[in-house]
């Protein structure tokens, strides 16, 4: 795995509607980078714990980096590290780095960050994204994967820096906002991946979010990640034939089992046809290459499932000879 796409930008921001598997995809992207020999840092904003469970890491993430997965160096794998980013901790670190450590503790204990956030909308987002910018410059990993807030908040989260440029004419806040805008709009440094499902509402929202990212943020969009697609089953019969197939294979079915199997086959065929129609519509409303991830028939995602998704991402990305070209094949679809 050469990880071609994963080497294009140092920061990948993953956004999507709640429930589409955004955090799992973020973890899988970081692991795909690891398989390609890259050290990756996956950063969570909302801190819901999905990252740690996917890597089967026993503790919750905090502001300090931890190793979520130690890559097998004999196989040429990189490490996956993780951390959270919170506005108050980012502010404390900023002030301490500028010789104002005593002031930072007083501000934090007095709840001043909330007062400032009320007076200057978007300042919390700038503090977080400013830290991402700092990490990108310091190069602690080959790839930083940012698990952004759900799409309802993601646009304001990413667009806040541009808004502050209009509101603040000078000073450190404007300088920070400008640095963040420079990061978000530089294709060589940052790309945004939209995660969706092959369903009506998620597809609609993915198209709306992608348009807002381009119009309001000015960020470059990478391939759209379509999660939870039923993998093709070439052996699945086109008609109800469980009884005949069982007889041909010398399998004895108990009464009622043929009807149950035929019903399950019809349900799967119908689900696959519906998903194909949504994938086609997604191509029309959002003309980007598609990285299609298989539906996992499991109750939870652990290391084994994460590796399966990471390899699916790597395989699909390798087919994208020219990311951004809508004529490129759609991965595993």
């Amino acid at each position: 795995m050469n990880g071609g796409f994963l080497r294009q930008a140092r920061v990948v921001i993953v956004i999507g509607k709640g429930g589409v598997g955004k955090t799992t995809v973020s973890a899988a992207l970081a692991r795909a980078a690891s398989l390609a020999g890259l050290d990756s840092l996956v950063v969570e904003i909302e801190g819901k714990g999905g990252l740690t469970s996917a890597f089967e890491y026993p503790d919750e993430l905090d502001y300090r980096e931890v190793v979520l997965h130690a890559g097998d160096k004999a196989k040429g794998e990189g490490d996956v590290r993780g951390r959270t980013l919170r506005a108050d901790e980012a502010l404390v670190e900023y002030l301490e780095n500028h010789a104002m450590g005593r002031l930072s503790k007083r501000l934090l204990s007095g709840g001043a960050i909330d007062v400032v956030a009320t007076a200057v909308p978007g300042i919390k987002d700038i503090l977080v994204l400013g830290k991402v910018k700092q990490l990108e410059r310091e190069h602690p990993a080959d790839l930083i994967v940012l698990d952004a807030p759900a799409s309802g908040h993601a646009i304001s989260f990413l667009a806040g820096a541009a808004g502050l440029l209009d509101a603040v004419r000078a000073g450190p806040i404007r300088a920070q906002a400008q640095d963040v805008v420079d990061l978000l709009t530089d294709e060589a440094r940052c790309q945004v991946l939209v995660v969706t499902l092959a369903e009506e509402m998620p597809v609609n929202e993915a198209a709306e979010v992608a348009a807002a990212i381009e119009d309001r943020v000015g960020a470059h969009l990478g391939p759209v990640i379509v999660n939870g697609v039923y993998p093709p089953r070439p052996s699945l019969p086109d008609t109800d034939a469980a009884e005949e197939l069982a007889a041909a294979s010398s399998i004895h079915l108990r009464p009622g089992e043929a009807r149950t199997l035929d019903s399950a086959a019809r349900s799967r065929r119908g689900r696959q046809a519906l998903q194909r129609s949504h994938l086609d519509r997604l191509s029309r409303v959002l003309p980007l290459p598609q990285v299609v991830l298989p539906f996992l028939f499991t109750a939870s995602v652990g290391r084994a499932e994460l590796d399966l998704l990471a390899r699916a991402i790597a395989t699909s990305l390798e087919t994208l000879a020219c990311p951004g070209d809508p004529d490129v094949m759609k991965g595993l679809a």
Side-chain angles (χ1 to χ4, degrees), residues 114-258:
D114 294 324
V115 176
V116 174
T118 302
V120 187
I123 191 64
K124 281 190 173 184
D125 297 334
I126 289 298
L127 288 168
V128 170
L129 288 171
K131 179 60 181 177
V132 174
K133 174 263 302 180
Q134 178 188 345
L135 290 172
E136 185 263 345
R137 285 181 173 175
E138 293 175 350
H139 205 73
D142 300 305
L143 179 68
I144 298 171
V145 180
L146 179 63
D147 180 18
S151 55
H153 177 208
I155 301 304
S156 60
F157 172 70
L158 296 176
L164 278 176
L165 285 181
D166 295 332
V168 181
R169 297 301 177 186
I173 292 179
R174 180 178 175 83
Q176 183 81 300
Q178 185 64 63
D179 285 346
V180 169
V181 169
D182 291 344
L183 169 65
L184 295 177
T185 56
D186 187 342
E187 180 181 348
R189 298 171 66 194
C190 178
Q191 295 194 26
V192 176
L193 302 185
V194 178
V195 182
T196 187
L197 299 175
E199 299 175 6
E200 182 175 3
M201 289 303 294
V203 165
N204 292 344
E205 181 152 343
E208 293 171 0
V209 168
I213 289 293
E214 290 187 318
D215 295 342
R216 296 181 54 190
V217 182
H220 178 79
L221 291 169
V224 58
I225 311 291
V226 189
N227 196 21
V229 176
Y230 276 40
R233 293 290 300 273
S235 61
L236 198 66
D238 293 329
T239 58
D240 298 345
E243 193 166 356
E244 291 82 355
L245 290 172
S249 302
S250 301
I251 297 174
H252 175 71
L253 296 178
R254 290 174 293 185
E257 286 184 334

Side-chain angles (χ1 to χ4, degrees), residues 93-132:
E93 183 180 33
Y94 176 85
L95 293 173
E96 288 178 344
N97 289 341
H98 290 77
M100 292 182 283
R102 185 176 301 177
L103 174 62
S104 70
K105 293 179 174 59
R106 292 177 61 186
L107 287 173
L108 189 60
S109 62
I113 184 64
D114 294 324
V115 176
V116 174
T118 302
V120 187
I123 191 64
K124 281 190 173 184
D125 297 334
I126 289 298
L127 288 168
V128 170
L129 288 171
K131 179 60 181 177
V132 174

